[in-house]
């Protein structure tokens, strides 16, 4: 980190720690996105726990889904996903229905309450980011706006939410 407290404070300066400019860019982007994401989660502590929120988004985007498919998509075990779904079900945010192709299976879909909760979380987090954007000057806002297409291109299509 550099030593001043001006506009560039908190940025990583070019030095020998990075093999290339691409490595430096990747490192700075990882730090900035990670810290911003962590700050939003802290500021939005009334939100759902991260895995419940992610699961709800996955069900919204791809549902109805079987528990095993949800577990695979979220990268967790079936027992972990079962606990997550129990909490979401208890809160009325998901619905369970028999799988028409497998009498033993259950399909999970999002409920109206789940959609409402996602809308609330998204709205609140957008407002949190909006307040942070208020800290930027016009040039910084323009630079961020110009960078959005490149940042959006980094996101896999199944990672929306």
């Amino acid at each position: 980190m550099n030593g001043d407290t001006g506009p560039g404070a908190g940025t990583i300066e070019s030095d020998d720690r990075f093999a290339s400019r691409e490595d430096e860019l990747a490192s700075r982007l990882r730090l900035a996105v990670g810290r911003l994401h962590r700050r939003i989660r802290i500021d939005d502590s009334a939100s759902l726990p991260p895995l419940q929120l992610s699961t709800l988004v996955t069900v919204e985007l791809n549902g109805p889904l079987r528990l095993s498919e949800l577990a695979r998509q979220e990268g967790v075990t079936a027992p972990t996903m079962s606990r997550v779904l129990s909490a979401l079900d208890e809160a009325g945010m998901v619905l369970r229905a028999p799988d028409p192709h497998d009498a033993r299976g259950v399909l999970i879909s999002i409920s109206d309450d789940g959609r409402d909760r996602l809308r609330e979380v998204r709205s609140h987090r957008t407002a949190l980011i909006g307040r942070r954007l208020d800290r930027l000057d016009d040039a910084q806002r323009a630079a961020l706006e110009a960078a959005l297409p490149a940042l959006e291109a980094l996101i896999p299509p199944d990672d929306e939410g």
Side-chain angles (χ1 to χ4, degrees), residues 1-151:
M1 298 275 176
N2 63 25
D4 73 26
T5 57
T11 61
I12 299 171
E13 295 177 1
S14 292
D15 64 21
D16 293 335
R17 292 183 292 172
F18 301 103
S20 69
R21 291 191 69 199
E22 259 190 44
D23 288 346
E24 179 182 4
L25 175 61
S27 179
R28 289 180 64 192
L29 182 60
R30 177 187 53 78
L31 277 170
V33 169
R35 287 178 177 167
L36 182 59
H37 184 256
R38 187 170 40 257
R39 190 72 247 170
I40 290 167
R41 278 197 339 258
I42 290 168
D43 291 348
D44 191 25
S45 60
S47 182
L48 295 168
L51 185 54
Q52 287 183 24
L53 182 60
S54 179
T55 298
L56 202 54
V57 168
T58 298
V59 172
E60 179 191 43
L61 292 172
N62 304 305
L65 295 167
R66 294 177 62 121
L67 181 144
S68 58
E69 180 60 21
L70 268 170
R72 187 190 65 72
Q73 287 191 30
E74 292 298 321
V76 298
T77 64
T80 297
M81 183 52 61
S82 182
R83 287 189 296 276
V84 168
L85 289 174
S86 290
L88 291 172
D89 191 20
E90 196 172 297
M93 290 188 265
V94 295
L95 303 169
R96 296 176 189 249
D99 184 339
H101 303 294
D102 180 356
R104 299 169 295 152
V106 174
L107 294 176
I108 310 298
S109 60
I110 190 168
S111 69
D112 289 341
D113 287 348
R115 286 185 207 292
D116 290 345
R117 186 63 190 268
L118 279 181
R119 254 191 305 280
E120 289 170 15
V121 168
R122 288 172 174 144
S123 176
H124 188 250
R125 288 184 174 193
T126 297
L128 289 171
I129 298 241
R131 287 194 293 277
R132 290 186 176 272
L133 287 173
D134 288 343
R135 301 177 186 175
L136 303 180
D137 63 32
D138 290 342
Q140 289 170 319
R141 282 172 168 250
L144 189 55
E145 188 173 354
L148 279 174
L151 291 170

